[in-house]
Amino acid sequence: MLKRTGKVLQIASTYMGTIVGAGFATGQEILQFFTRFGYWGTLTIAVATALFIWLGGKMMIIASEIGAKSYEDLNIALFGDRYGKWISHFMLVVLLGVTAVMLAGAGTIFYENWNISYQSGLLITIAACYFLLRKGMKAILTVNAIVVPIMLLFTTIIMIDTFQTPESDRFTTIVTDHSIWAAWAAPFLYTAFNLSMSQAVLVPLGAEIKDRKTIVLGAWVGGIGIGFMLLAGHIALSVHMPGIQQYAIPMGGIAKQLGSVVQYIYIFLIFAEIFTTLIADIYGLTLQLQERLKWSRSMLTMIVLAFCFVASQIGFGPLLSTLYPIFGLISLGWLFLVIRRKMAH
């Protein structure tokens, strides 16, 4: 019983840690996908939470059933041999892009908050990634087991603090001039994008854990945790609307009001979350490349890190603004096929 509980918590914390990447931790994603739609945001967060519980679990179960070595195996099972390979090639490119962005984000945190140069920040992060990733899946599980509980605790503190402010119920009353269609499309786009990105970790994780019930429980705990963090962020951001939209790191702006110690912890947490997503993505990428190239894992890790270092020199704005919308649409197609796929009973 204890062993299963441990495994369930491992799945849940890895699931949360992978989804709660940089955009989520900074509050940018919550703002873009939920809060700007006013009181609809609360309802659409409920929809997103249900999708995370259901489809995250389903994805891990399919991976477990087919014994998937990497996310390409899952895509071939979903799309058939030819298209599955194409989708995987495309994901490889996007994962590389997103990983470079995460790395650039980590460098920026060093530069903006800790007076360490951007380049040094990149190199410190790369070195830490390389040493951790030599431990494989174990490292990802361990890092998430530390970061996610602290994040949950911190989210709870921000939520309690928000409820003591005079306008804490604004999330139920804010009106929006965005269309209701955009509001209701948001949770589907959000879960599609995040789940297709997190395949890199959830597929090998599902394949490692053979017990279906453990996977289902892990997806429930993880999905509810993600929903709770989305809601807490949404409630806190709603109080400060519309002014909060000017911040690059909206949640940092809120943390600032809780005093310098809290803000310092929060900035460190944002870094830790970028870091968990970074090692998760690089792990998925190296597994993927290893199936194709049959090179050693540590060599592939070095190549991926070197590529991301070069790419993060560009500053990834222009590439992202083109990649994300295309990827969002392809992710929706992918989500539809995951929904349609029947599971063995």
Side-chain angles (χ1 to χ4, degrees):
M1 185 63 207
L2 263 175
K3 194 169 173 216
R4 172 176 279 167
T5 310
K7 280 257 188 272
V8 167
L9 290 175
Q10 256 186 350
I11 294 174
S13 66
T14 304
Y15 189 10
M16 286 189 261
T18 308
I19 298 283
V20 180
F24 184 113
T26 57
Q28 268 304 349
E29 276 182 19
I30 303 177
L31 202 57
Q32 293 307 323
F33 284 93
F34 303 104
T35 308
R36 68 194 181 103
F37 297 116
Y39 62 84
W40 289 112
T42 315
L43 296 170
T44 53
I45 284 172
V47 175
T49 306
L51 289 169
F52 276 126
I53 293 170
W54 174 36
L55 297 172
K58 189 168 180 179
M59 192 160 85
M60 289 186 274
I61 289 169
I62 297 170
S64 175
E65 282 171 0
I66 62 174
K69 283 197 186 66
S70 74
Y71 62 85
E72 183 166 350
D73 297 344
L74 177 79
N75 284 325
I76 288 171
L78 290 174
F79 296 92
D81 202 38
R82 199 170 109 211
Y83 291 115
K85 283 210 166 76
W86 271 106
I87 294 280
S88 290
H89 284 308
F90 182 73
M91 293 213 164
L92 199 69
V93 174
V94 174
L95 264 173
L96 274 168
V98 170
T99 309
V101 173
M102 293 279 169
L103 187 60
T108 309
I109 284 184
F110 276 91
Y111 171 67
E112 281 185 358
N113 299 285
W114 297 329
N115 296 330
I116 297 170
S117 80
Y118 179 69
Q119 301 299 340
S120 312
L122 293 180
L123 293 170
I124 293 168
T125 311
I126 284 174
C129 282
Y130 180 73
F131 286 113
L132 268 171
L133 281 165
R134 293 175 66 171
K135 309 247 183 298
M137 194 61 155
K138 258 202 187 72
I140 296 177
L141 294 173
T142 312
V143 172
N144 278 308
I146 299 164
V147 172
V148 170
I150 301 173
M151 189 62 206
L152 280 168
L153 176 70
F154 202 83
T155 311
T156 312
I157 292 171
I158 284 193
M159 201 160 173
I160 292 166
D161 181 73
T162 306
F163 278 127
Q164 288 165 351
T165 55
E167 296 191 305
S168 61
D169 59 349
R170 279 196 66 191
F171 71 100
T172 58
T173 56
I174 294 187
V175 286
T176 174
D177 41 15
H178 293 288
S179 92
I180 183 164
W181 294 109
W184 284 99
F188 292 95
L189 273 166
Y190 182 73
T191 38
F193 183 73
N194 276 297
L195 281 172
S196 57
M197 290 302 340
S198 62
Q199 301 184 71
V201 176
L202 294 186
V203 169
L205 182 65
E208 258 186 36
I209 290 175
K210 301 285 176 264
D211 180 39
R212 188 186 174 122
K213 199 169 170 189
T214 306
I215 294 176
V216 172
L217 285 169
W220 268 95
V221 178
I224 290 169
I226 293 164
F228 168 70
M229 289 202 257
L230 278 174
L231 187 63
H234 169 61
I235 291 171
L237 289 165
S238 295
V239 174
H240 303 281
M241 281 290 279
I244 194 80
Q245 288 170 305
Q246 69 203 21
Y247 286 98
I249 300 183
M251 291 302 276
I254 292 175
K256 202 179 257 174
Q257 299 166 1
L258 296 174
S260 55
V261 177
V262 174
Q263 193 194 5
Y264 195 80
I265 297 169
Y266 194 72
I267 297 293
F268 182 75
L269 265 179
I270 292 177
F271 174 76
E273 296 205 358
I274 291 176
F275 190 71
T276 53
T277 310
L278 191 62
I279 54 172
D281 286 350
I282 293 170
Y283 178 74
L285 277 167
T286 48
L287 281 184
Q288 191 57 28
L289 290 165
Q290 204 177 11
E291 275 202 7
R292 295 219 169 97
L293 301 171
K294 307 283 182 254
W295 297 352
S296 84
R297 243 255 312 278
S298 58
M299 184 172 166
L300 286 168
T301 305
M302 283 169 78
I303 292 169
V304 171
L305 284 167
F307 170 85
C308 291
F309 178 72
V310 173
S312 59
Q313 302 301 319
I314 308 164
F316 235 56
L319 186 54
L320 267 200
S321 52
T322 40
L323 261 188
Y324 269 47
I326 303 169
F327 196 61
L329 287 170
I330 290 196
S331 301
L332 273 181
W334 174 89
L335 192 75
F336 177 67
L337 285 165
V338 175
I339 291 172
R340 259 189 40 193
R341 161 95 188 190
K342 302 258 190 302
M343 290 189 293
H345 287 292

